[in-house]
Amino acid sequence: MTVRVQTAPFDVEAEVAALRGGDARVGAVVTFLGTVRDINDGTAVATLELEHYPGMTEKALEAIVAEAQSRFDVYGVRVVHRVGPLAPTEPIVLVAVTSAHRADAFDACRFVMDFLKTRAPFWKKERTPDGDRWVDARVSDDDADARWG
Amino acid sequence: MEGTQHPVATVRLVFLARLRDALGRQDETYPLDRPISVGALLEALRARGGPWERELAAGRAYKVAVNHEVVAAGAVVRPGDEVAVFPPVTGG
């Protein structure tokens, strides 16, 4: 499947192998792996709780992948995003892209992440020593989205 | 069946993430027997006062999705729809 939302960890190598398959046209595989940091805005984070909107989140990710496929010359795109409680250093999200040459794979991978950040319904809540707090959206993420026009 | 009668006379409202906490509920069945604009629905919710008035005030950062598509205030909500209200997203 192109897009998955799951609580379980994922295996990057297995995901890449499944995406790449035996396609001899593929000359470039670009992956982005997002992981949990232990500090956000100066506060220690014990756990991150990832929430999504079942149904809409998958549709939004599929729309982003479809958009990437129409904009860039890529063969395959795969997005795996975790939800539920996540500890610092754990992987949150994987975007993997295959293409004939690196430029389109790099661009498509970044495009998917930039759009995911501003358009896919996920929300982070941090568990900190001072209590729980919802993470605020970043203006820099809107800027990253806007650069794609 | 012919005509403008809708088989259901409600919409499902869904509140997510910080807004669910602030409004104190994750979903509700809301009576609606005819199409209205998203703006009109939000106005009706704001009229409940308290956190509804505060959190859904114009100028607050939140989004509305009808049947899983983000829409503007002029969009139409019809009986049977699912309407979600949520804060700006922070995934990835």
Side-chain angles (χ1 to χ4, degrees):
Chain A
M1 247 180 300
T2 302
V3 160
R4 291 198 330 267
V5 178
Q6 62 187 43
T7 54
F10 49 79
D11 178 340
V12 175
E13 275 194 53
E15 299 294 341
V16 168
L19 177 68
R20 197 200 180 295
D23 190 343
R25 297 173 306 164
V26 172
V29 180
V30 169
T31 60
F32 172 84
L33 186 64
T35 63
V36 181
R37 285 174 296 137
D38 67 349
I39 298 278
N40 188 31
D41 293 336
T43 303
V45 176
T47 321
L48 207 55
E49 181 83 27
L50 259 292
E51 174 180 337
H52 77 306
Y53 178 15
M56 180 173 170
T57 304
E58 292 82 354
K59 280 185 207 167
L61 292 174
E62 281 162 12
I64 293 166
V65 168
E67 180 68 22
Q69 278 168 329
S70 75
R71 286 183 182 226
F72 306 100
D73 197 1
V74 295
Y75 296 134
V77 179
R78 178 168 292 220
V79 180
V80 185
H81 202 299
R82 292 179 68 193
V83 290
L86 294 170
T89 75
E90 279 196 81
I92 304 175
V93 59
L94 170 71
V95 176
V97 180
T98 60
S99 64
H101 304 288
R102 68 185 183 285
D104 280 289
F106 273 124
D107 287 350
C109 190
R110 182 167 189 169
F111 172 88
V112 169
M113 268 314 297
D114 285 352
F115 268 43
L116 183 155
K117 280 277 190 182
T118 53
R119 299 179 187 209
F122 291 99
W123 300 272
K124 291 190 182 102
K125 186 197 257 179
E126 295 171 341
R127 216 142 276 169
T128 78
D130 302 327
D132 292 356
R133 65 174 190 190
W134 289 100
V135 174
D136 285 328
R138 290 173 189 271
V139 173
S140 61
D141 286 335
D142 285 331
D143 294 344
D145 178 322
R147 71 189 275 277
W148 295 101
Chain B
M1 224 191 294
E2 297 290 321
T4 54
Q5 283 283 315
H6 288 276
V8 288
T10 59
V11 291
R12 180 165 181 257
L13 303 183
V14 179
F15 307 102
L16 293 146
R18 196 191 64 75
L19 275 175
R20 177 191 55 242
D21 289 354
L23 299 173
R25 70 183 64 176
Q26 63 178 16
D27 57 17
E28 69 175 84
T29 301
Y30 184 88
L32 185 74
D33 61 4
R34 73 202 67 187
I36 60 167
S37 71
V38 166
L41 174 61
L42 290 170
E43 193 54 51
L45 293 175
R46 279 194 288 269
R48 291 171 169 180
W52 299 89
E53 191 176 5
R54 206 162 50 240
E55 296 293 337
L56 303 180
R60 292 297 298 265
Y62 62 88
K63 290 180 189 294
V64 177
V66 175
N67 300 330
H68 297 161
E69 295 279 349
V70 172
V71 297
V76 174
V77 178
R78 294 182 173 78
D81 284 350
E82 178 168 305
V83 181
V85 187
F86 51 80
V89 304
T90 55

